[in-house]
Amino acid sequence: MYRITRFMLAPLAVSIMLAAGCVNYAGIDHQGKLLSLDQASSNSLKDTLPPANWPRADWWTSLGDPRLGALIEEAYASNPDLQEVQARVAKANAFLDLRDAERFPQMDASAGVTRGRLSRFEDYSGEGHKYFTARNLAVNFNYTFDLWGGQRAAWESALNSAMAAEVDLQSSKLILTVNVVKAYNQLAYAWQVSELNRRDLARLSKLVELSDSRYNSGLDNLSQLKQVQSLKARSESTLIGALDDIEVARLQLSVLVGKGVDRAQSIERPASLQASVVALPAQLPAQLLGRRPDIVAARWRVEAENKNIDAVKTTFYPNINLAAAAGSHALSGDALFAGVSKFWNVAPTISLPIFDAGRLRSDLKAGNAELDVSIAHYNQVLTSALHEVAISVTQLRSFEQQIVVQRDACAIAQSSYELSQSRYKAGEDTFLDALNIEQQLIQDEMRLAFLNSKHIDSSISLMAALGGGFQEREAPLAKNTIN
């Protein structure tokens, strides 16, 4: 028997396509261009900072509070937003399995029994009023030859999308981790502010007592007493706000870890956190392409859209499908497996789009537009990533310099306060003078606490901008080059 193969059918299909002058995709292409590192990056950061290693996967441990790691693990397990992304990954993998299954032949079996009554119109004898029982047993086979690689391209597109979804999960974990760490840092700062406000309230309470005594002694007037009482009331209000900030920060953490309101009350006061030293990896920005999950995911989506276009282009070519069936049809049960009841058929089909009113070209234009969207998104993510690194480093430098100056200011204020205490005990200064100097010390310490908090926030932002310990794993397929 003469055997037909896909290699014999392919030349025939090409000949039919050329002879028919069918639908084609001439003149349809994408417009976007991938941004190169040379266009997006600058060497200015590398020239001004000492080299360092890339962030570790557990980069938050450098902040110095082991309880923070437990909160992050709790967030990984319970955060609803992260669970939503995990569901998207499962969906993308399921779609990948579907595209993979479409590349293989399909075979199914069927069996059935039909009981019916014939009318006179349906009865060949013209009598009608007859009953029948039809039994059938069949095996069906269907296979579309992937002559132009369209099914493989569709599978590779789904694979790239699944890879992007998995990397999105890592990006979501990084974002969640950053949000937890920043909320934890905000909680630590809120505690510091509340303590300093308590000190300020205690100072003003003593000042009110002193002013009241001086007023009763005729040394101060009522206006001076009311002014000090007003300052104390304002301090009490500020302390209430600071305590509210603690509760709000706790609630923000409880939301991030995916727990209810009651979880907020069990979150303890954080330890004193330490910011990371300003330094950048020596291979920045070249290695940033594989260290930032959002960049990696954006690149996978470009490749997915590119493969999707390859798949769409194959719909312009002739399609060859092979369908076959075999089984048995019988009106009586004992004849179901008899030779006269058996049947089979083979139906190879060649289809070629000749006129479709522009449907295929419109589909390809839409695919190229999606590719342009993905390329633009990749370029935007790459540019933003490099700017985020630059902004974080700039802020870190600034906060470090401000902290050095502010520590000097605190040291001077502390020395002045201690001197005022000594002078007060020696009778050289009044108690009012000592309290006023203490106010300056508290204000300087407030400023230092604020700068330390912002410094830690900028350090966290730098860890996130560098990818937070993410490292792209080896891809199952080599990616294409998009021009």
Side-chain angles (χ1 to χ4, degrees), residues 192-404:
Q192 285 183 293
V193 170
S194 67
E195 279 193 348
L196 291 171
N197 279 323
R198 288 183 190 279
R199 282 178 52 192
D200 190 48
L201 180 59
R203 176 187 65 83
L204 289 171
S205 296
K206 293 178 182 178
L207 189 57
V208 168
E209 293 177 3
L210 177 61
S211 296
D212 186 63
S213 175
R214 290 173 62 86
Y215 171 72
N216 291 329
S217 301
L219 300 176
D220 285 340
N221 57 42
L222 182 60
S223 174
Q224 291 172 321
L225 175 60
K226 293 296 183 182
Q227 183 179 7
V228 175
Q229 289 174 338
S230 174
L231 290 174
K232 180 188 175 184
R234 185 187 304 172
S235 179
E236 289 174 344
S237 175
T238 303
L239 177 58
I240 293 172
L243 295 175
D244 285 344
D245 288 341
I246 293 175
E247 296 308 313
V248 169
R250 281 174 162 173
L251 287 169
Q252 288 175 338
L253 276 170
S254 68
V255 170
L256 290 170
V257 300
K259 297 298 176 61
V261 175
D262 292 342
R263 177 68 178 90
Q265 302 305 316
S266 61
I267 298 176
E268 299 178 358
R269 178 179 180 176
S272 179
L273 303 180
Q274 302 295 325
S276 300
V277 178
V278 181
L280 290 177
Q283 297 302 315
L284 185 80
Q287 291 185 1
L288 192 65
L289 296 180
R291 292 282 184 167
R292 283 270 304 216
D294 53 348
I295 296 178
V296 174
R299 192 170 74 248
W300 278 117
R301 287 195 164 84
V302 170
E303 299 303 331
E305 294 300 334
N306 188 48
K307 286 296 181 181
N308 182 59
I309 288 175
D310 291 343
V312 173
K313 284 181 177 179
T314 63
T315 61
F316 289 79
Y317 302 147
N319 181 56
I320 300 177
N321 179 266
L322 177 63
S328 178
H329 290 162
L331 291 176
S332 59
D334 57 352
L336 184 60
F337 297 102
V340 293
S341 300
K342 295 178 181 179
F343 76 92
W344 63 267
N345 60 68
V346 178
T349 304
I350 298 178
S351 61
L352 175 69
I354 296 177
F355 176 75
D356 67 349
R359 291 177 178 84
L360 291 177
R361 289 179 63 85
S362 296
D363 200 20
L364 183 58
K365 288 177 182 178
N368 277 285
E370 288 294 334
L371 177 57
D372 284 336
V373 170
S374 298
I375 291 174
H377 178 67
Y378 171 84
N379 293 341
Q380 186 271 333
V381 170
L382 176 59
T383 303
S384 296
L386 293 168
H387 278 83
E388 285 173 14
V389 174
I391 290 172
S392 297
V393 170
T394 301
Q395 290 178 336
L396 276 167
R397 284 204 206 99
S398 175
F399 286 128
E400 282 186 347
Q401 293 170 358
Q402 292 181 67
I403 286 171
V404 170

Side-chain angles (χ1 to χ4, degrees), residues 20-263:
C22 63
V23 179
N24 64 78
Y25 52 78
I28 302 177
D29 201 357
H30 67 91
Q31 303 300 316
K33 303 293 181 184
L34 286 177
L35 195 65
S36 68
L37 274 176
D38 292 337
Q39 295 171 305
S41 63
S42 171
N43 292 325
S44 59
L45 291 177
K46 293 193 298 180
D47 295 338
T48 56
L49 292 174
N53 295 323
W54 288 92
R56 300 182 309 175
D58 58 347
W59 53 269
W60 56 85
T61 58
S62 63
L63 297 175
D65 191 338
R67 289 173 295 183
L68 180 56
L71 283 173
I72 291 172
E73 292 300 325
E74 188 177 355
Y76 287 168
S78 305
N79 183 269
D81 291 336
L82 194 60
Q83 291 171 348
E84 181 181 345
V85 178
Q86 289 170 336
R88 291 198 195 103
V89 173
K91 181 179 179 180
N93 286 325
F95 185 71
L96 173 61
D97 292 339
L98 174 63
R99 286 301 192 197
D100 191 29
E102 290 174 346
R103 302 166 58 203
F104 296 93
Q106 181 178 348
M107 181 179 292
D108 59 75
S110 61
V113 177
T114 303
R115 178 67 176 170
R117 180 181 183 275
L118 297 178
S119 68
R120 186 171 65 177
F121 176 78
E122 296 168 326
D123 186 2
Y124 289 110
S125 66
E127 297 179 2
H129 197 66
K130 289 184 178 180
Y131 294 87
F132 75 94
T133 302
R135 299 165 179 82
N136 67 83
L137 182 66
V139 176
N140 302 295
F141 174 88
N142 192 286
Y143 179 63
T144 299
F145 292 90
D146 193 18
L147 297 177
W148 318 108
Q151 291 178 335
R152 178 174 177 82
W155 170 72
E156 290 181 351
S157 176
L159 175 62
N160 291 332
S161 294
M163 291 293 297
E166 290 183 4
V167 178
D168 278 340
L169 177 59
Q170 300 304 316
S171 181
S172 297
K173 279 189 172 182
L174 175 58
I175 293 171
L176 177 59
T177 303
V178 168
N179 288 337
V180 169
V181 177
K182 285 194 172 184
Y184 198 71
N185 179 48
Q186 185 61 34
L187 178 59
Y189 172 64
W191 273 105
Q192 285 183 293
V193 170
S194 67
E195 279 193 348
L196 291 171
N197 279 323
R198 288 183 190 279
R199 282 178 52 192
D200 190 48
L201 180 59
R203 176 187 65 83
L204 289 171
S205 296
K206 293 178 182 178
L207 189 57
V208 168
E209 293 177 3
L210 177 61
S211 296
D212 186 63
S213 175
R214 290 173 62 86
Y215 171 72
N216 291 329
S217 301
L219 300 176
D220 285 340
N221 57 42
L222 182 60
S223 174
Q224 291 172 321
L225 175 60
K226 293 296 183 182
Q227 183 179 7
V228 175
Q229 289 174 338
S230 174
L231 290 174
K232 180 188 175 184
R234 185 187 304 172
S235 179
E236 289 174 344
S237 175
T238 303
L239 177 58
I240 293 172
L243 295 175
D244 285 344
D245 288 341
I246 293 175
E247 296 308 313
V248 169
R250 281 174 162 173
L251 287 169
Q252 288 175 338
L253 276 170
S254 68
V255 170
L256 290 170
V257 300
K259 297 298 176 61
V261 175
D262 292 342
R263 177 68 178 90

